């Protein structure tokens, strides 16, 4: 029995169904210099829910945010930019409504036939969204009979379209919401030790709480990516021109102290791949972590560090991964991420490791390494995955619990 009402509990035929999805997908230039969606994982994950509602004869009204426009209409953050990609992924026609509330939305919904799919414009173009404003939520609800929440990856935000709507309309969990929850509970609810956590990505500041909590729960914390530089700098190393949050040195030291007390091993880079510019195939050198030149930038973990990480992962039974180890988007600075991903995938395939990864960049990195399918589970969630790992209640999930 699911703790939510799900699509199993409702007949949506002929109903106007507002479906909150996460279409906050990464964009980048393709080889012709055109800005395109660079990873469609989040789109693929919501197709089951969309198909199921549409096949039943429900009118699928998709609601989503895109970027952080902070209540303003920002053309670069219009969902119009991604609707054609979404239609391709879903393999069904999708129309677009230029506002998620008001006469525009009403007209777009009125024009729908049973089974049709409509995507409404970015909810965050309205200030009421992030404030979980009651009137904004009511304006969204005005065009619908039922609410389906399928954006687990946005469920850490108590916004009108993730929480407010569920208090106004009859609310159900979509298939992605359901499966993300189930997979995380079964993979990580009671993990087998040793547990390794690999946390990378650019900033420590966005993951401070996570790191503090993780050292209490895991046996080894592997720190990579830009955030490792903050730790290196805190330990007194010159990190040159590398990405680094110098003002967080104190916090970094506190995390290291806490890990000692908790008996959690910490892995930081011993050697680094350093270049003078952040560009594909830039000239690079490998230096010890304490010998980074003052005009150099750390762009990846070095070979000794990779070896050390691989050893830890080989000893572990569970791996939780969020954030790449280096600037994996550009070669050759993807090496640590790719090598470690391959080992984790191989250990998983051999039945020796439960591997769970989450986060937009992480999913893109594992796709890039070609091993995403070999992980035990890949969550489409970034922030929500981290907050779930921290043991926090996710408001967008809590509001759905029966
Ligand atoms: C994400 O991309 O992590 C989610 O869509 C939430 O986006 P946000 O961090 O801008 O709230
Ligand atoms: Mg985010």
């Amino acid at each position: 029995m699911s703790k939510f009402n799900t699509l199993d509990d409702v007949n949506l035929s002929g109903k106007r169904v507002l479906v909150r999805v996460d279409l906050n997908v990464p964009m980048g230039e393709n080889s012709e210099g055109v800005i395109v969606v660079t990873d469609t994982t989040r789109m693929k994950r919501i197709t089951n829910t969309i198909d199921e509602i549409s096949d039943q004869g429900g009118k699928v009204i998709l609601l989503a945010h895109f970027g952080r426009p902070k209540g303003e209409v920002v053309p670069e953050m219009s969902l119009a930019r991604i609707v054609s990609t979404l239609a391709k992924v879903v393999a069904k026609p999708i129309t677009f409504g230029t506002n998620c509330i008001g006469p525009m939305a009403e007209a777009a919904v009125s024009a729908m036939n049973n089974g049709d799919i409509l995507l409404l414009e970015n909810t965050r173009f309205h200030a009421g969204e992030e404030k979980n404003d009651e009137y904004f939520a009511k304006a969204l609800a005005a065009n619908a009979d039922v609410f389906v929440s399928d954006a687990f990856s946005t469920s850490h935000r108590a916004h009108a379209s993730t929480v407010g709507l569920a208090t106004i309309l009859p609310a159900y969990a979509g298939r992605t919401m359901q499966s993300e929850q189930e997979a995380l509970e079964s993979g990580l609810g009671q993990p087998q030790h040793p547990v390794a956590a690999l946390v990378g990505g650019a900033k420590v500041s966005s993951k401070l709480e996570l790191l503090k909590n993780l050292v209490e729960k895991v046996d080894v914390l592997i720190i990579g990516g830009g955030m490792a530089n903050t730790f290196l700098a805190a330990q007194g190393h010159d990190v040159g021109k590398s990405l680094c949050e110098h003002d967080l040195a104190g916090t970094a030291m506190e995390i290291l102290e806490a890990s000692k007390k908790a008996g959690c091993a910490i892995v930081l880079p011993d050697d680094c791949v350093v270049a003078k510019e952040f560009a594909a195939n830039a000239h690079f050198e490998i230096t010890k972590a304490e010998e980074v030149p003052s005009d150099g930038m750390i762009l990846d973990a070095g070979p000794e560090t990779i070896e050390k990480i691989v050893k830890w992962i080989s000893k572990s039974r569970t791996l939780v991964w969020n954030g790449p180890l280096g600037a994996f988007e550009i070669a050759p600075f993807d090496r640590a991420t790719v090598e470690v991903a391959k080992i984790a995938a191989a250990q998983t395939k051999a039945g020796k490791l439960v591997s769970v990864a989450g986060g937009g960049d992480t999913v893109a990195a594992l796709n890039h390494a070609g091993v995403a399918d070999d992980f035990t589970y890949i969550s489409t969630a970034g922030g929500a995955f981290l907050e779930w790992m921290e043991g926090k209640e996710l408001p967008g999930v809590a509001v759905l619990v029966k």
Side-chain angles (χ1 to χ4, degrees):
M1 264 278 285
S2 171
K3 60 180 180 177
F4 309 126
N5 284 318
T6 71
L7 297 183
D8 296 327
D9 303 304
V10 63
N11 182 348
L12 295 171
S13 174
K15 298 261 167 59
R16 297 167 302 165
V17 189
L18 268 182
V19 187
R20 182 40 159 118
V21 289
D22 192 350
L23 293 173
N24 205 24
V25 289
M27 309 285 285
E29 270 186 30
N30 70 6
S31 53
E32 277 115 52
V34 181
I35 304 288
V36 294
V37 175
T38 51
D39 189 281
T40 55
T41 307
R42 282 182 169 169
M43 293 179 168
K44 288 184 190 138
R45 292 284 180 96
I46 58 173
T47 49
N48 282 345
T49 300
I50 294 175
D51 281 344
E52 200 170 325
I53 300 170
S54 166
D55 292 349
Q56 267 183 42
K59 297 174 183 173
V60 183
I61 310 161
L62 300 173
L63 274 187
H65 74 281
F66 192 40
R68 293 179 177 165
K70 300 201 185 307
E72 309 279 331
V73 174
V74 180
E76 296 77 53
M77 296 181 194
S78 170
L79 282 166
R81 303 183 69 192
I82 63 149
V83 65
S84 63
T85 310
L86 180 64
K88 258 185 228 149
V89 172
V90 176
K92 290 193 173 132
I94 301 181
T95 50
F96 185 70
T98 53
N99 198 340
C100 61
I101 57 167
M104 291 296 213
E106 196 188 328
V109 173
S110 307
M112 294 175 84
N113 293 314
N114 290 352
D116 281 357
I117 307 166
L118 166 72
L119 171 65
L120 295 178
E121 182 59 287
N122 197 340
T123 51
R124 289 189 186 169
F125 282 180
H126 297 271
E129 163 70 334
E130 296 194 49
K131 292 191 190 121
N132 190 11
D133 176 77
E134 189 190 332
Y135 295 97
F136 177 66
K138 284 188 173 149
L140 290 171
N143 298 310
D145 307 304
V146 173
F147 175 57
V148 170
S149 179
D150 210 28
F152 174 74
S153 46
T154 311
S155 64
H156 56 318
R157 308 291 183 212
H159 294 174
S161 69
T162 57
V163 169
L165 277 173
T167 65
I168 299 173
L169 292 170
Y172 300 87
R175 296 303 181 200
T176 316
M177 175 62 88
Q178 229 186 315
S179 62
E180 290 265 9
Q181 275 288 309
E182 286 165 5
L184 290 183
E185 296 285 350
S186 69
L188 298 179
Q190 263 148 16
Q192 295 239 36
H193 287 265
V195 180
L198 194 167
V199 183
K203 286 189 175 167
V204 176
S205 51
S206 56
K207 295 182 187 171
L208 282 179
E209 283 303 312
L210 172 75
L211 295 177
K212 280 187 192 155
N213 272 293
L214 278 179
V215 297
E216 304 289 336
K217 292 184 183 162
V218 305
D219 303 294
V220 56
L221 173 61
I222 302 162
I223 304 173
M227 73 164 67
N229 305 338
T230 300
F231 284 85
L232 294 177
Q235 291 175 327
H237 301 317
D238 181 2
V239 294
K241 290 196 297 172
S242 308
L243 201 66
C244 180
E245 293 171 285
H246 290 281
D247 52 325
L248 290 179
T251 312
M253 292 313 283
E254 277 169 30
I255 292 169
L256 296 179
E257 268 312 304
S259 73
K260 256 187 224 150
K261 276 205 196 111
C264 167
I266 296 273
V267 175
L268 280 165
D270 295 324
D271 60 344
C272 312
V273 180
V274 178
K276 298 227 162 40
E277 50 167 352
F278 180 58
N281 301 311
H283 175 77
F284 67 89
E285 58 181 323
I286 298 192
T287 72
K288 294 271 171 219
E290 55 275 9
E291 286 165 11
V292 174
S294 57
D295 60 348
M297 250 184 272
I298 304 173
L299 293 178
D300 199 10
E304 276 174 36
T305 308
I306 297 177
E307 205 175 302
K308 190 164 74 172
I309 295 174
V310 166
K311 270 196 195 135
W312 274 105
I313 290 181
S314 306
K315 280 195 284 197
S316 299
R317 301 290 305 275
T318 305
L319 170 68
V320 195
W321 186 337
N322 175 271
L325 283 167
F328 78 96
E329 307 91 336
I330 58 172
F333 308 111
D334 57 347
R335 192 174 145 198
T337 304
V338 169
E339 286 195 17
V340 171
K342 285 190 171 154
I343 296 292
Q347 293 286 105
T348 307
K349 263 179 134 175
K352 293 181 184 154
L353 185 72
V354 169
S355 53
V356 180
D361 275 351
T362 315
V363 176
L366 297 181
N367 281 333
H368 170 75
V371 298
D373 292 342
D374 298 332
F375 269 59
T376 310
Y377 186 70
I378 298 208
S379 173
T380 59
F385 174 70
L386 299 182
E387 291 196 17
W388 185 91
M389 275 165 58
E390 284 166 32
K392 283 191 190 155
E393 180 179 86
L394 305 175
V397 172
V399 76
L400 296 175
V401 174
K402 302 197 253 206

